[in-house]
Amino acid sequence: MSKGNLKIGFVGTGVMGRSMVKNLLKDGYSVAVYNRTKSSAEELFSSGAQWVDSVAELAKLSDVVITMVGYPKDVEEVYLSEEGLIANAKPGSVLIDMTTSSPLLAQRIALAGKAGGIDILDAPVSGGDVGAQSGTLVIMVGGEERAFSAVMPIFAAMGKNIILHGPAGAGQYTKMANQITIAAGMVGVCEAIAYAQKAGLDPSRVLDSIAGGAAGSWSLSNLGPRMIAGNFEPGFYVKHFIKDMNIALESAKAMGLMTPGLELARALYEQLAAEGEENSGTHALYKLYMK
């Protein structure tokens, strides 16, 4: 796929999608975008992005389409409806879903794509808004190795740690492992900082001590300071994290795996959402501890 002739379509220009599109444009790719709300994409037009009026139109003009939408129901509509990507994409094109979604849905979409001569990759990401802005996302991929190799330069414009984990659905299963780790870890980060506060310590100095040792994690180093500063703007929404935990719990149950830590984290996040914080960042869980 020659960069000069390649046409990329991008569906979903939210917090993550906007930065991902900017990095593709910066790397020299031609990108057309579609979003349910056009105003969310407007800042991209001055950087060279082209607007199209529908998913179907985007599919028809693109060689590669990337999607970054909200929920599995959105993924299903974008890919499998009559006006969706698979019904309108050119044979030989590659469709890449970077939404965190259901592994079983990813497998179903891949089968539908194969029937139409279209390659499908599920490629959810980790790294939040910081990783999206800096082009250092972790990208976890499921699908055919041939398609993965063909679009690797596109992935490289958005991320740094890019691994093919297996066939369709493998990327989503890997992302669920990631979310399980984060869910339990976030509870620990919140409790540690709240504990430091209650003990009369300077929580920022505590972070300086523990972030470089065995307790260190991305959440502790990147979201801990935001908690302390009272900045709960989303890199990743509470409502989307609850969605992810529900997917992980459903798939764990199907595998006969007990996940008590994940169940506890979901219960806490559901309480947080019920208190009006569903559009806050995931680190807003800290608020439950500091009432």
Side-chain angles (χ1 to χ4, degrees):
M1 292 185 175
S2 170
K3 184 184 293 186
N5 299 321
L6 189 68
K7 295 181 179 179
I8 297 177
F10 202 105
V11 180
T13 54
V15 171
M16 298 286 288
R18 280 195 300 273
S19 294
M20 293 162 75
V21 171
K22 286 178 182 178
N23 284 324
L24 289 168
L25 292 167
K26 191 184 302 181
D27 205 44
Y29 286 102
S30 172
V31 186
V33 299
Y34 171 79
N35 195 67
R36 285 178 179 172
T37 307
K38 186 176 181 179
S39 59
S40 179
E42 283 180 349
E43 69 179 76
L44 299 171
F45 303 152
S46 60
S47 299
Q50 173 191 353
W51 172 259
V52 295
D53 290 321
S54 70
V55 170
E57 182 184 349
L58 190 75
K60 291 172 183 175
L61 63 84
S62 302
D63 302 301
V64 175
V65 179
I66 299 169
T67 55
M68 190 66 164
V69 295
Y71 296 88
K73 62 180 175 61
D74 301 315
V75 173
E76 185 169 15
E77 179 182 351
V78 166
Y79 278 85
L80 299 177
S81 68
E82 289 185 8
E83 295 301 313
L85 293 174
I86 290 176
N88 293 280
K90 299 179 290 188
S93 58
V94 181
L95 309 181
I96 308 169
D97 184 30
M98 303 187 81
T99 314
T100 298
S101 183
S102 160
L104 295 180
L105 177 58
Q107 292 167 358
R108 185 152 61 94
I109 290 170
L111 284 174
K114 186 174 183 179
I118 299 162
D119 285 310
I120 310 288
L121 297 173
D122 52 286
V125 302
S126 181
D129 57 335
V130 174
Q133 290 164 15
S134 62
T136 57
L137 290 169
V138 174
I139 305 177
M140 301 158 253
V141 189
E144 296 290 338
E145 186 169 1
R146 171 181 49 79
F148 172 75
S149 297
V151 300
M152 186 61 175
I154 295 173
F155 284 141
M158 299 180 286
K160 296 298 182 187
N161 184 355
I162 306 156
I163 298 175
L164 178 66
H165 289 275
Q172 297 295 354
Y173 278 122
T174 304
K175 180 60 186 288
M176 289 302 106
N178 182 85
Q179 299 305 75
I180 291 168
T181 304
I182 290 173
M186 191 71 77
V187 173
V189 170
C190 292
E191 291 183 0
I193 295 175
Y195 181 89
Q197 291 265 31
K198 295 293 186 182
L201 302 172
D202 179 342
S204 295
R205 291 177 68 84
V206 172
L207 279 188
D208 289 341
S209 287
I210 69 175
S217 70
W218 188 95
S219 294
L220 189 67
S221 296
N222 289 276
L223 299 180
R226 296 194 200 185
M227 294 176 192
I228 295 166
N231 174 9
F232 300 106
E233 289 299 309
F236 190 60
Y237 290 108
V238 166
K239 61 186 179 184
H240 290 162
F241 198 32
I242 292 172
K243 173 263 294 183
D244 293 355
M245 288 187 281
N246 285 334
I247 294 170
L249 284 165
E250 288 168 6
S251 57
K253 182 179 179 180
M255 293 185 283
L257 177 68
M258 59 179 289
T259 51
L262 182 59
E263 290 173 7
L264 171 61
R266 182 180 65 172
L268 291 171
Y269 272 102
E270 286 178 337
Q271 179 183 343
L272 185 67
E275 295 182 8
E277 298 287 349
E278 67 173 10
N279 289 313
S280 296
T282 52
H283 54 297
L285 185 66
Y286 180 64
K287 290 185 177 183
L288 290 184
Y289 293 90
M290 297 306 294
K291 292 180 179 178

